[in-house]
Amino acid sequence: MLHLQNEENARIRHTILKKVEPFSDEDLNEKPSESEWSAMQILDHLQKIETTIAEGVKKAAEKNEQKKAWKKPIQLSVSRKVKVDAPKHTVPEEHYFTLDEMKKKLNSSRNRLYEVFASVDDETLKNNSMPHPVFGDVPLVQWFPFVGYHEKRHLAQLEETLRKIDENKK
């Protein structure tokens, strides 16, 4: 199952990177409005979430408290109809990044996620959980697919942001 999810997560990440490729670093760091994130801030948020999930799963697996949880409808996280404030530690920085820098950060967070999930056995993933701000306790086994759903959600936001940047240039 994680193998299929791995492919799906990789496909979504590839799509995100393809969307930003044609834009300059200046464009990607431009906020469409004061209340919206720039494309680069969206990418920064994605790598912060991924790093947070990898570290959280690692810690929960090491503790192995056998804190089971029911599977949650994590696929709902793709919908942007429900507004969710990003946890403080995942809010993007007000910092200028180059696309090359951000690609390295994204690659590093993805590799860390792969390392963590490859190092934890299926039983531990099924029999332990960690909290999510909306869904409550989510089984560790669902956090890997959650990354893909979360990125799909932000892909829509990214497309909207890039469209606005394009329109502002005209």
Side-chain angles (χ1 to χ4, degrees):
M1 184 195 85
L2 286 180
H3 174 71
L4 292 175
Q5 191 58 51
N6 182 7
E7 289 176 14
E8 180 64 7
N9 286 5
R11 188 188 62 73
I12 295 161
R13 175 65 60 85
H14 178 77
T15 302
I16 285 171
L17 293 175
K18 280 287 173 219
K19 295 282 181 192
V20 297
E21 288 283 330
F23 292 86
S24 70
D25 289 338
E26 286 71 26
D27 288 342
L28 294 174
N29 280 280
E30 184 182 316
K31 291 169 78 169
S33 74
E34 201 45 51
S35 64
E36 295 174 279
W37 291 347
S38 69
M40 208 56 86
Q41 286 178 304
I42 294 168
L43 298 179
D44 188 38
H45 170 69
L46 295 180
Q47 67 88 18
K48 285 180 175 191
I49 284 282
E50 195 165 49
T51 300
T52 298
I53 290 170
E55 293 315 309
V57 167
K58 180 179 180 281
K59 282 182 187 148
E62 284 171 352
K63 281 184 181 174
N64 199 11
E65 294 175 329
Q66 300 293 303
K67 189 177 171 193
K68 276 188 148 180
W70 297 102
K71 283 199 169 186
K72 303 301 187 297
I74 58 171
Q75 65 279 7
L76 297 177
S77 54
V78 173
S79 171
R80 292 185 62 223
K81 289 180 182 148
V82 177
K83 179 81 175 105
V84 178
D85 288 332
K88 281 188 176 69
H89 59 283
T90 68
V91 172
E93 296 177 37
E94 294 279 342
H95 179 80
Y96 185 96
F97 288 106
T98 65
L99 185 54
D100 280 345
E101 285 175 301
M102 190 52 69
K103 281 181 175 178
K104 284 179 184 145
K105 284 176 164 280
L106 287 162
N107 196 33
S108 175
S109 64
R110 180 56 49 95
N111 286 341
R112 183 70 184 129
L113 186 74
Y114 287 155
E115 281 171 20
V116 167
F117 274 89
S119 70
V120 181
D121 65 276
D122 289 346
E123 283 306 303
T124 303
L125 291 174
K126 287 177 191 163
N127 294 321
N128 289 280
S129 63
M130 69 181 201
H132 181 277
V134 174
F135 298 114
D137 286 340
V138 173
L140 298 184
V141 73
Q142 282 194 290
W143 281 98
F144 193 77
F146 174 80
V147 168
Y149 291 126
H150 178 259
E151 288 201 359
K152 257 188 194 169
R153 174 190 186 93
H154 286 290
L155 172 58
Q157 178 189 14
L158 181 68
E159 289 170 336
E160 207 174 278
T161 299
L162 295 173
R163 197 168 36 255
K164 287 176 183 177
I165 289 168
D166 249 354
E167 289 167 7
N168 290 344
K169 286 169 50 173
K170 291 178 183 170

